[in-house]
Amino acid sequence: MTPHQNIIIIAALLCASVAVQAANPTLITRLCGETSAPEACTRCIKSQPPPPKNEQDVVFSLLYCAYLDTQLLETDTKNAIDSESTDQTTRSALDQCNSLIINLISENGILKFKVRKKEYSQAKSDVDGYINNEIKGCSKLLGATGVKIPPKVFSGLFSMTSDYGITSQVLGLVH
């Protein structure tokens, strides 16, 4: 390959890279502006490469934020379970809650599959039904046992509730 051909290939790759990175800020503003937490929605989307070019990309970004927060919650819950300072009642409640959290990690993948197929209303229904029920189930379980919820677990449940709430709102806007 000649040096001239190398330069042409590099230039083409750079141009393609710039084209792929082109976000649609109007789309982000429109969709996030319709949610209950526009700043959190926008921050999530802008934190995920590559920038979204269409509605489907926006939903994928939101689902990825929810996935990351759910994984973090699962890790924080396991750490609390394994902590020597955690009493047996709290450990048992957290262990049951962690099973629900693990289910949510799997369900996130199912949601991505539905979004890939542009089954937005079905994905929204799943978030509003199954996902919310699992999150509420964990919160109710911890509340019913009267245990002191570890701060990272409490914060994680709040983040996950917010992530999926925003995702549901955006799913209701896309076509």
Side-chain angles (χ1 to χ4, degrees):
M1 193 173 284
T2 69
H4 181 33
Q5 288 172 320
N6 285 339
I7 291 172
I8 291 172
I9 290 171
I10 291 170
L13 288 173
L14 288 173
C15 289
S17 175
V18 169
V20 167
Q21 295 299 318
N24 187 337
T26 305
L27 176 68
I28 297 168
T29 301
R30 178 178 62 84
L31 292 175
C32 287
E34 294 291 322
T35 68
S36 59
E39 298 85 14
C41 176
T42 302
R43 187 173 39 254
C44 164
I45 293 167
K46 289 184 175 181
S47 72
Q48 305 306 318
K53 296 173 289 204
N54 54 47
E55 292 177 337
Q56 188 178 49
D57 290 347
V58 169
V59 177
F60 280 135
S61 292
L62 293 170
L63 285 172
Y64 190 66
C65 287
Y67 175 77
L68 292 176
D69 282 342
T70 306
Q71 278 194 316
L72 179 60
L73 175 59
E74 196 266 338
T75 298
D76 289 341
T77 303
K78 279 177 54 179
N79 289 341
I81 291 167
D82 294 341
S83 172
E84 290 181 19
S85 64
T86 302
D87 64 86
Q88 188 55 41
T89 303
T90 302
R91 185 174 284 121
S92 177
L94 288 172
D95 191 48
Q96 290 176 52
C97 187
N98 204 40
S99 295
L100 300 175
I101 294 165
I102 291 168
N103 291 344
L104 291 174
I105 292 171
S106 297
E107 184 65 22
N108 189 285
I110 295 167
L111 290 171
K112 288 176 187 170
F113 179 75
K114 289 178 180 179
V115 169
R116 189 170 294 115
K117 291 174 37 180
K118 298 189 177 186
E119 295 176 354
Y120 301 122
S121 62
Q122 183 59 49
K124 179 178 176 14
S125 177
D126 289 357
V127 170
D128 294 343
Y130 180 79
I131 296 281
N132 281 339
N133 287 337
E134 292 290 283
I135 295 170
K136 287 177 186 173
C138 184
S139 297
K140 285 180 183 178
L141 174 70
L142 294 173
T145 58
V147 300
K148 182 177 183 233
I149 302 171
K152 287 185 176 183
V153 173
F154 181 83
S155 176
L157 285 168
F158 179 82
S159 294
M160 199 171 53
T161 301
S162 176
D163 289 342
Y164 280 112
I166 292 168
T167 302
S168 173
Q169 291 168 358
V170 170
L171 282 166
L173 299 169
V174 298
H175 304 91

